[in-house]
Amino acid sequence: MKRYLQIVLNIPLNQSVTYLDCDESDGTESHVGFRADIKFGNRRTTGFIISESYEFPADCGVEESKIRPILRLLDNEPIFTQELIDLARWVSSFYLCSVGEAISSMLPGGKRETDAGSFSFTEEAPDTTARKLSEEQSAAVEGILSTDSSSRMHYLYGPTGTGKTEVFLQAAEKLLAQGKGVIYLVPEIGLTKQVIEAVVARFGQTAAVLHSGLTPSQRLGEWKRILHKEARVVIGARSAVFAPVPDLGLIIIDEEHDGSYKSGSTPRYHARQVAMFRTTKAKIPLVMGSATPSAEAWHAMSEGTIVRHTLTRRLAGGAMPQIKTINLSSLKMDGCISPELSDAIKETLEQKRQTILFLNRRGFTHFFRCNTCGFEMKCKNCSVSLTYHKNEKRLRCHYCGWQTVPPQECPECGSLDVGYSGFGTEYIEQEVRAKFPHARVVRVDTDNVTHKGELQEKLDAFRNGEYDIMLGTQMVAKGLNFPNLQLVGVILADTGLHLPDFRAAERTFALITQVAGRAGRFFPDGRVLVQTYAPDRKPIVCAVRGEIEQFYDDELQQREMLDFPPYSRLVRLVFRAPTESQAEQGAAGAVSILHASLKNIAHSSPNLASAAEQTEILGPAECPIVKIALNWRYQVLLRGNNMGIMQKIAADLLYNHKHSSDVYIECDVDPVALL
């Protein structure tokens, strides 16, 4: 008996393809949820079987005699469930990608998840055994598991060190006791060895870990343990939100504000949005947590759509540290460490305590600049300044990797008055070693952490007191619970403030607040010194004074005035092409198609007319970074309150119109960054 299989592929093809099953089947075993080896055109590839029938599909579009059989099945059991197929269909319609691309992003592939670099500061490593909860923590666990709550969405909010992790784990334990499964998401950077070991020690063989360090076959092994109910708690980074957990009872998102929960490649899904969809459909609780919630989450808590549970007590003792700003604009500096920070480091060393110096920039100095004509050396493939790496004596692009030898004179005007502006971790390392020759210094950033496990080795060595000063980029934020840490210096707090992105203030605020939460964790005399050229800017003032509510009130007021999320929704379309004119023309042509689609909706659906009129099409404009890896980039933003309308006109542009083969269109629904 012939069996027709509907197969989707990991390509931007917005429909399934019909194949014949390779063996005549008596119909006893369904092949839905299997992967198949197929010939598609002239190439062999893997397809995902999403449905089957014994009748030739009427809408096939190809005559029956031309239907090819699959070459073979790749699995001996289904590896994705009907729930995941339905979820893939939702991801496909919401994020405007194909069902095949959505399924492919769910299944184990061993792909790294660090597209969206971010500041991740996970809580201290969880305890290996359950601790007695404080009253606040007990109330939070009860609230999360309560069925008569007004909403199934919960937020655990409180400063670093108030024991959010323990609340998550005890809520998970209670649901496990009821035979339910749990998904626990942590930012990729937060999946440290201690976190994994502690969770495995706590839950034993019933824990499965999905992270980028696993090979594809190890990931598939974990995936099958989850499907077979051998593992009931899944801990992992972004893509673990798709884990095929039978009888799912709870999804936890730790450090909800973290940018790495948003995928940087197709499908550009946000794990928070997917978790909201899954939990709403299954009528189960979703609990998020952070010391610095995203502005959207804060707004939803204020509106009551997310239930807030607040923790105020720092359980490890230790007061919140003293935080002080150092105004660099009023100082004459011969380096990047101010006299005040220098004195504080000296004092800390004398007390045999440790210091962390934090900077969100790799490399030696920021960029090559001519002091005569102002010429800046930029990457030939990207429109970003090259970073000078002193060890290699090279200028290097941090986007595409292109590098060159620094010129002796200005390529533009021939002047010899050239130099380097700004500073990076290499530069600070040199300055620190010169100023504190007897201190043991370790630098941690992606340039000098090369082999697997090296980062963990350096962090462990610092924790064990083998170094006095650690300096680095956000990588040093991994599990920053160091017992002998007394001083944290933020070398330049306003680096992120100058980015042309509406979330710049939120990110700067989160960075300082979270860094500050690290010092004073174990000792009451923790200090944080924040160097800045903009000490009066709201995010810095509020973070330093601990005025968290004040910051969110101001930020949300600003967002409302400018009509940015959470007061509107965005869809970002980026047009990439080998020449600037192709990118610009592609974007301009798209704008006229989008306007026509919008008019069409307003005429054909009177009930949507006013929402269509309120939908804005902004652009075309150059992207803030106009060129990356030899591609020119222009963008168009859709902004409005009716996401359905924006998705509809974007889908019409993507699927119903022919585009120049030289222009590639990236579509990002609810973007987290506009760079």
Side-chain angles (χ1 to χ4, degrees), residues 92-106:
S92 155
S93 67
F94 192 87
Y95 291 104
L96 305 179
C97 64
S98 71
V99 176
E101 287 172 314
I103 287 183
S104 179
S105 70
M106 298 176 176

Side-chain angles (χ1 to χ4, degrees), residues 279-387:
T279 53
T280 305
K281 209 163 180 239
K283 297 187 172 61
I284 59 172
L286 164 67
V287 57
M288 299 166 271
S290 174
T292 52
S294 62
E296 285 89 337
W298 189 273
H299 179 65
M301 287 187 261
S302 311
E303 300 278 294
T305 44
I306 295 179
V307 181
R308 182 190 330 218
H309 307 276
T310 307
L311 301 178
T312 55
R313 275 187 52 222
R314 286 179 74 128
L315 302 177
M320 287 304 276
Q322 303 171 322
I323 311 177
K324 186 174 181 230
T325 43
I326 297 170
N327 185 355
L328 297 181
S329 53
S330 63
L331 296 173
K332 279 212 168 358
M333 304 247 298
D334 61 341
C336 54
I337 295 174
S338 62
E340 191 174 344
L341 179 56
S342 184
D343 290 345
I345 295 171
K346 214 171 285 170
E347 223 172 280
T348 307
L349 287 169
E350 282 164 10
Q351 292 175 23
K352 306 227 174 323
R353 304 282 292 283
Q354 290 173 305
T355 299
I356 286 179
L357 298 177
F358 188 95
L359 175 77
N360 188 27
R361 172 154 292 132
R362 287 150 43 197
F364 183 75
T365 53
H366 183 27
F367 49 78
F368 173 93
R369 189 172 184 276
C370 170
N371 297 322
T372 306
C373 72
F375 172 80
E376 266 179 45
M377 192 89 172
K378 296 199 170 183
C379 173
K380 72 180 178 74
N381 305 326
C382 313
S383 60
V384 291
S385 303
L386 294 169
T387 301

Side-chain angles (χ1 to χ4, degrees), residues 302-559:
S302 311
E303 300 278 294
T305 44
I306 295 179
V307 181
R308 182 190 330 218
H309 307 276
T310 307
L311 301 178
T312 55
R313 275 187 52 222
R314 286 179 74 128
L315 302 177
M320 287 304 276
Q322 303 171 322
I323 311 177
K324 186 174 181 230
T325 43
I326 297 170
N327 185 355
L328 297 181
S329 53
S330 63
L331 296 173
K332 279 212 168 358
M333 304 247 298
D334 61 341
C336 54
I337 295 174
S338 62
E340 191 174 344
L341 179 56
S342 184
D343 290 345
I345 295 171
K346 214 171 285 170
E347 223 172 280
T348 307
L349 287 169
E350 282 164 10
Q351 292 175 23
K352 306 227 174 323
R353 304 282 292 283
Q354 290 173 305
T355 299
I356 286 179
L357 298 177
F358 188 95
L359 175 77
N360 188 27
R361 172 154 292 132
R362 287 150 43 197
F364 183 75
T365 53
H366 183 27
F367 49 78
F368 173 93
R369 189 172 184 276
C370 170
N371 297 322
T372 306
C373 72
F375 172 80
E376 266 179 45
M377 192 89 172
K378 296 199 170 183
C379 173
K380 72 180 178 74
N381 305 326
C382 313
S383 60
V384 291
S385 303
L386 294 169
T387 301
Y388 181 49
H389 287 260
K390 191 171 190 209
N391 283 354
E392 304 155 19
K393 297 192 171 46
R394 311 283 285 175
L395 285 163
R396 183 147 28 110
C397 172
H398 283 174
Y399 278 87
C400 72
W402 184 74
Q403 46 184 288
T404 184
V405 176
Q408 298 301 306
E409 57 184 45
C410 173
E412 193 77 6
C413 72
S415 165
L416 296 175
D417 186 10
V418 293
Y420 300 94
S421 299
F423 36 77
T425 45
E426 260 184 76
Y427 183 90
I428 297 171
E429 181 180 20
Q430 195 177 56
E431 187 179 341
V432 168
R433 289 187 189 281
K435 281 187 173 162
F436 309 103
H438 302 300
R440 296 163 302 167
V441 180
V442 61
R443 173 163 68 94
V444 180
D445 61 27
T446 43
D447 293 319
N448 77 339
V449 171
T450 47
H451 69 257
K452 201 175 168 181
E454 186 177 355
L455 173 63
Q456 197 59 50
E457 286 164 21
K458 287 186 169 178
L459 292 177
D460 288 345
F462 185 72
R463 185 174 289 107
N464 298 336
E466 293 169 34
Y467 295 104
D468 305 308
I469 301 173
M470 174 160 72
L471 48 100
T473 54
Q474 64 236 38
M475 291 180 83
V476 305
K478 267 193 177 193
L480 267 178
N481 50 322
F482 302 111
N484 200 29
L485 176 66
Q486 182 181 33
L487 175 67
V488 175
V490 178
I491 296 294
L492 189 57
D494 22 337
T495 318
L497 271 181
H498 304 300
L499 296 174
D501 190 351
F502 73 95
R503 291 184 206 273
E506 186 185 325
R507 290 200 186 99
T508 302
F509 171 78
L511 164 67
I512 299 170
T513 305
Q514 297 260 12
V515 165
R518 298 293 131 189
R521 173 62 71 78
F522 293 92
F523 288 89
D525 55 354
R527 291 176 70 192
V528 179
L529 294 177
V530 178
Q531 298 191 148
T532 171
Y533 286 103
D536 302 328
R537 288 286 291 272
K538 256 292 160 6
I540 293 173
V541 171
C542 289
V544 165
R545 291 186 188 157
E547 294 171 352
I548 292 179
E549 303 212 1
Q550 181 67 53
F551 169 74
Y552 285 108
D553 290 349
D554 284 4
E555 180 66 10
L556 288 169
Q557 223 173 335
Q558 193 84 5
R559 299 267 188 104

Side-chain angles (χ1 to χ4, degrees), residues 130-170:
R131 286 172 64 160
K132 189 173 182 338
L133 297 182
S134 69
E135 274 178 39
E136 283 180 333
Q137 289 174 309
S138 298
V141 172
E142 277 170 40
I144 291 161
L145 302 180
S146 155
T147 46
D148 51 44
S149 172
S150 55
S151 165
R152 290 181 193 277
M153 283 188 253
H154 300 267
Y155 209 103
L156 200 53
Y157 163 68
T160 314
T162 47
K164 293 187 280 291
T165 309
E166 192 59 38
V167 173
F168 292 149
L169 294 177
Q170 295 212 15

Side-chain angles (χ1 to χ4, degrees), residues 157-215:
Y157 163 68
T160 314
T162 47
K164 293 187 280 291
T165 309
E166 192 59 38
V167 173
F168 292 149
L169 294 177
Q170 295 212 15
E173 280 171 346
K174 283 188 158 56
L175 281 162
L176 283 177
Q178 296 168 24
K180 304 282 188 189
V182 175
I183 293 175
Y184 187 161
L185 300 182
V186 231
E188 169 80 13
I189 206 167
L191 270 174
T192 56
K193 200 172 88 201
Q194 302 121 280
V195 171
I196 293 169
E197 282 173 359
V199 171
V200 171
R202 188 89 164 242
F203 296 107
Q205 280 307 299
T206 193
V209 184
L210 300 176
H211 62 88
S212 62
L214 301 178
T215 64

